[in-house]
Amino acid sequence: MKRFLIAGNWKMNMLPTQAKQFAAQLVKTSKSIDDDVEVMIAPPFTALAEVKEAIKGSKVKLGAQNINENEKGAFTGEISADMLLDIGVEYIITGHSERRTIYQESDELINKKVHSAVNHSLKPLLCVGELLTEKEAGLTHSVIEKQISKGLKDISRDGMKKIIIAYEPIWAIGTGRVANPQSVEEIHFDIRKIIARLYTKDIAENILILYGGSVSVDNIDGLMTKPNINGALVGGASLKIDLFSRIASFRKMI
Ligand code: PGA
């Protein structure tokens, strides 16, 4: 059966009090969302505890936007897997294009972060996606294949049960320029083929592949009807409770 995950990436937005209010409202909405749709929000680290408290006992899940690849020690300003687990985090966004470009995170570092998450039973969302120039040069497949094979290097078959892929074309993030659902579908199908080659057909069929990049109330339904799209990683529209609630409730509309 097809499963979905609707994830909100708040980036560097929301004070803890605002986050708590938002989460409490989302809990109400989530009561009428079907069981095959999971809803997650990834607040900034400073709001994780408030959100965790607000979503207690509900089906809304907690995510974090980053993780350090080391266990512990002299890494000023960083947050470890154990710290996130202790606070109740379940999902970790890794390889986001903002981390790749602004903070120069390489595929090798992202791979270490993915390992750290999997080793601690956290579920990493591995973000992949091409630049506009790469898309125009016909390089989408090779860019994604490289990001996936390097990002998942040495992740075991068992570890793959925890992995989620988020396809986020960089030219669609925060631009209002959403990728066409049919071309997203084709790229997701291609991602399943890449995973099947690296692992097994079964793993490829079962992995969740989300789309991200200017997801909104206007395009969510069209995207979710496509067989290989298992949900969305939502940035801007995840900051407004009415918009995010509507996006998470897409099932009623399709
Ligand atoms: P956007 O961001 O929805 O604002 O385009 C998506 C993301 O960065 O994950």
Side-chain angles (χ1 to χ4, degrees), residues 41 72 98 148 194:
I41 39 180
K72 62 178 189 171
E98 286 152 19
I148 291 178
I194 294 169

Side-chain angles (χ1 to χ4, degrees), residues 7-9 11 93 96-98 127 166 168-170 172-177 211-216 233-238:
N9 173 12
K11 309 190 181 182
I93 300 172
H96 192 279
S97 66
E98 286 152 19
C127 303
E168 299 208 302
I170 295 167
I173 296 179
T175 57
R177 197 178 155 188
Y211 167 78
S214 296
V215 170
S216 72
L233 181 53
V234 188
S238 74

Side-chain angles (χ1 to χ4, degrees), residues 7-202:
N9 173 12
W10 285 357
K11 309 190 181 182
M12 199 169 73
N13 295 291
M14 293 263 207
L15 298 174
T17 44
Q18 299 169 316
K20 191 173 161 180
Q21 257 181 6
F22 183 112
Q25 282 177 270
L26 187 60
V27 165
K28 286 188 197 145
T29 307
S30 70
K31 291 185 181 139
S32 58
I33 293 174
D34 292 347
D35 282 347
D36 55 348
V37 182
E38 192 143 274
V39 181
M40 177 270 265
I41 39 180
F45 291 133
T46 48
L48 284 171
E50 276 79 3
V51 172
K52 179 63 198 171
E53 182 61 26
I55 62 176
K56 207 155 68 187
S58 79
K59 53 190 232 186
V60 180
K61 308 288 184 193
L62 189 61
Q65 297 174 24
N66 194 13
I67 187 172
N68 185 272
E69 67 281 14
N70 297 290
E71 278 298 309
K72 62 178 189 171
F75 302 100
T76 302
E78 293 294 300
I79 307 276
S80 73
D82 273 341
M83 293 170 184
L84 296 171
L85 260 184
D86 188 59
I87 223 164
V89 166
E90 232 178 277
Y91 292 91
I92 309 284
I93 300 172
T94 55
H96 192 279
S97 66
E98 286 152 19
R99 303 271 344 152
R100 290 179 190 263
T101 55
I102 307 171
Y103 302 102
Q104 282 88 44
E105 289 195 4
S106 63
D107 285 315
E108 288 70 26
L109 176 61
I110 292 161
N111 176 246
K112 287 185 186 160
K113 293 186 175 202
V114 171
H115 274 279
S116 176
V118 168
N119 291 342
H120 291 83
S121 290
L122 292 160
K123 300 175 194 161
L125 274 76
L126 173 63
C127 303
V128 298
E130 81 285 6
L131 294 161
L132 186 58
T133 47
E134 291 166 335
K135 171 183 155 66
E136 285 169 351
L139 295 172
T140 302
H141 170 82
S142 58
V143 168
I144 288 172
E145 185 168 49
K146 175 176 148 285
Q147 290 173 338
I148 291 178
S149 57
K150 291 194 166 188
L152 296 180
K153 186 168 180 285
D154 296 332
I155 293 291
S156 67
R157 286 185 185 187
D158 203 41
M160 283 303 286
K161 289 185 193 144
K162 302 213 162 46
I163 304 282
I164 292 150
I165 305 284
Y167 168 58
E168 299 208 302
I170 295 167
W171 48 269
I173 296 179
T175 57
R177 197 178 155 188
V178 69
N180 162 302
Q182 186 50 35
S183 55
V184 176
E185 165 64 15
E186 283 160 23
I187 292 163
H188 283 212
F189 183 66
D190 189 38
I191 292 173
R192 280 197 212 280
K193 284 199 289 192
I194 294 169
I195 302 282
R197 246 191 340 268
L198 293 171
Y199 293 93
T200 64
K201 201 162 162 269
D202 196 47

